[in-house]
Each structure stands twice: as C-alpha cells, then as structure tokens.
Amino acid sequence: RGGEEGGGRGGGGEPFGWLRFADGDMNQLANTKRMTRAMEAWPTLPNLVVSVGEWWLCNGKYREIWKNSVEAIAALRDFTFHAGCFYLPMGAPDDDDLEMWADKGIEGWARAALDANVTIALVGPRNLAGIPWLTARGWGIEDAATKRARFVDAAGVSDHATRMDAAMAQIEAISVRNADEFGNGESSDRPEPVLFVFSAGHASKTMITELMRADKITSKDMFVDAGTALDGFAGVGSRDFNRGKRAVRKYCENVLRRDPKRVAFWVDPAKLSKVCKGVDVFGARKKNAPNESKYNARD
C-alpha cells in the first residue's frame, strides 16, 4: 500500500517522507547516535513511511543487528514498517514496470510533481546535478542559475556532522525561497512546498527525519529517499540494474520509446552518449515521436 499511496503524492502538495532502510543503514547504527535519535522520532511523524529492504534480514548478520539495534529502540516497538516496495514509484519513463503502476492508478511521485509544477530539488552528489528533471519546476525550460540553486551538494554528509548541518541549512533556505517566490502569502493555507529528492547514503534517514519535524520550516515539504535509483539517468553504474546492457535498455531505450521528445530532460544531456552507447538516438527519436503514448509527458 505504501507504493500506491506515496507514488502519486508528489503533486498533491501534502507533506510526506519516504525512507528506505537496508543493509548500509544497519551497518551504521553502531556508529551514529544522531541516526538512532532520528529513528526514535519516526513514530511522531504520521506522514513518514520507512520501507525496509526485508531481504537483508535473511542474512544472519543483519538479522542480529535488527534485533539488537532496531528492535531494542523502545519507541519503535509499535511502529509499523513498510515492506514490498523498496523504491517509491517515480513515474519516470525508464521504469520497466511503468505500465503496471499506471494500471493501478499510480502516476509516480516525479511525474505527479512535474505535472503539478511542484519545485523539485536534489540533495545528492555532484555527478547527478546535471539531470534536468531533478531540479525542475514543471516541464518547461529554465535557466541554469535557477536550476543550480535547487541543488544541495551531499558530499561528506554521512561522515561529517558539520557538512550535514550545512546541507540542512541550504535545504531550509531553498524551502523558504520557494515559499516566498511561489506561495500566496497569508491567503495560502500552507506555504508552497518543495519536493526534496535525496541520494545521500545513510545520512538521508537522519536529515529527512529532522527536516520533517513540526517545528521546522521544512515540515511543509516532501521528501523521497531515492538513492541509487537516480544514478542511471547520469550514466553512473552503481547497481546491476544501471550497468551494461540493462542500463542501456532502461535509461535509453525505454525513455526513447516512451518519451522521445524529452530524452534530454530525463537523462543528463552531457551523459547522453554514455547512457545511450550503441543506440542511434536521433533515429529512435524520429521513429518514436509520432507515436507518443499516454505515459508520455505533456508539452
């Protein structure tokens, strides 16, 4: 149900958070008290979903960590975790299951946000900063300076508290600026939200939790811990699904087939030749553009 409920929220303006929790996060529990404090706060955030990579619990090491470090947190004893949909559906044209989600009425958080002109900001590494849709507001073309201002460099946030705090301050500044620029002032029920998309390792869990607190200006915003699901759009091979022929099929051929007019919107234009290695992009666009499907972005 988490995938069905959260996948379309990006355009609804309703604040929510989606966290993924798996082996890399469990490995850090003994090293960061700040993450443990954040986990203690999870039950106090009604719009937060924590999706567990439950397959790791088949491994004895992680089963013990879960038992000794997660179940041992008293505040989580009655907390309901989500399982079965680790990555919240984006609605991006690379997804092999895009039609399945559409049949369920799930638009996906990225497409919902773009359709609704919700500002998207990226909290992640520099090698993802060139992916246009991750710093967009709607489907239109924007100047480079505007898009750069929606990028928060997450380098070092998992290892240095000062860098995490600096990134958090930048996120809050983006939230305030967006409300000032696009909100309706006192006549609005709630200031204009931002959808913050995270690829920041285990620090994402702590940062999103703290940013969602009711006393934070960012409590109005939306947060998705997307992680390595973003890498393929920049030609970064970090997992089996974004390497080699599988990556070409997902991030090039799927995108060209479903949304040929916007291939350079979904994929970093500077990395397009790498992502589409061996594919005639011009020929594919010419072939597919007249046959746009219902899953394509609107002009």
Side-chain angles (χ1 to χ4, degrees):
R1 289 293 301 167
E4 294 181 24
E5 293 171 0
R9 279 190 177 181
E14 182 181 338
F16 77 95
W18 180 280
L19 293 181
R20 298 170 305 107
F21 192 80
D23 57 319
D25 308 303
M26 286 190 272
N27 281 332
Q28 298 299 323
L29 286 176
N31 304 322
T32 169
K33 293 182 179 179
R34 189 169 179 177
M35 179 189 274
T36 302
R37 289 196 299 271
M39 293 170 67
E40 290 172 346
W42 286 350
T44 70
L45 302 172
N47 290 332
L48 175 68
V49 175
V50 181
S51 184
V52 177
E54 74 277 10
W55 59 90
W56 290 107
L57 299 179
C58 297
N59 180 301
K61 170 188 173 181
Y62 296 112
R63 195 161 54 243
E64 285 300 306
I65 293 175
W66 183 270
K67 179 180 178 181
N68 297 326
S69 298
V70 179
E71 291 183 356
I73 298 175
L76 296 179
R77 287 175 185 166
D78 295 322
F79 183 71
T80 300
F81 291 91
H82 174 73
C85 182
F86 192 54
Y87 290 100
L88 187 64
M90 286 190 215
D94 70 295
D95 190 350
D96 291 333
D97 296 323
L98 186 64
E99 286 80 6
M100 179 199 74
W101 293 120
D103 288 343
K104 292 176 178 289
I106 298 171
E107 184 177 26
W109 56 265
R111 190 171 294 274
L114 291 163
D115 281 347
N117 289 321
V118 170
T119 298
I120 302 175
L122 172 65
V123 182
R126 294 185 189 94
N127 60 5
L128 301 185
I131 303 171
W133 67 270
L134 285 173
T135 52
R137 181 179 172 86
W139 298 101
I141 297 173
E142 298 175 293
D143 64 89
T146 296
K147 296 182 76 61
R148 280 197 301 271
R150 297 179 187 145
F151 169 65
V152 178
D153 189 350
V157 295
S158 287
D159 304 311
H160 304 283
T162 54
R163 293 186 183 179
M164 181 186 288
D165 290 337
M168 297 270 281
Q170 190 176 350
I171 290 167
E172 292 176 351
I174 291 172
S175 180
V176 171
R177 185 168 63 244
N178 191 73
D180 290 342
E181 185 172 359
F182 299 110
N184 295 319
E186 295 180 0
S187 64
S188 178
D189 292 335
R190 196 168 51 79
E192 184 76 14
V194 178
L195 172 57
F196 289 98
V197 184
F198 277 70
S199 180
H202 66 81
S204 300
K205 294 33 167 178
T206 299
M207 295 172 72
I208 290 174
T209 302
E210 293 185 5
L211 290 163
M212 289 184 69
R213 280 175 18 198
D215 61 340
K216 291 282 191 177
I217 182 63
T218 45
S219 63
K220 69 178 176 61
D221 296 314
M222 299 171 280
F223 305 89
V224 175
D225 174 18
T228 56
L230 306 176
D231 289 353
F233 295 102
V236 177
S238 57
R239 296 289 189 274
D240 288 344
F241 63 80
N242 55 34
R243 291 192 187 111
K245 292 182 178 179
R246 189 174 177 185
V248 173
R249 177 180 54 75
K250 273 179 60 66
Y251 299 98
C252 180
E253 294 174 354
N254 280 1
V255 175
L256 281 167
R257 174 170 55 86
R258 290 181 173 132
D259 202 354
K261 289 185 176 181
R262 291 195 170 93
V263 63
F265 178 77
W266 293 109
V267 176
D268 183 343
K271 309 289 179 58
L272 186 57
S273 60
K274 180 179 180 181
V275 174
C276 289
K277 186 176 181 180
V279 176
D280 177 5
V281 175
F282 178 79
R285 287 188 63 182
K286 186 175 181 181
K287 175 183 176 181
N288 293 323
N291 301 311
E292 294 181 77
S293 75
K294 66 180 180 180
Y295 305 107
N296 287 2
R298 288 185 280 276
D299 290 326

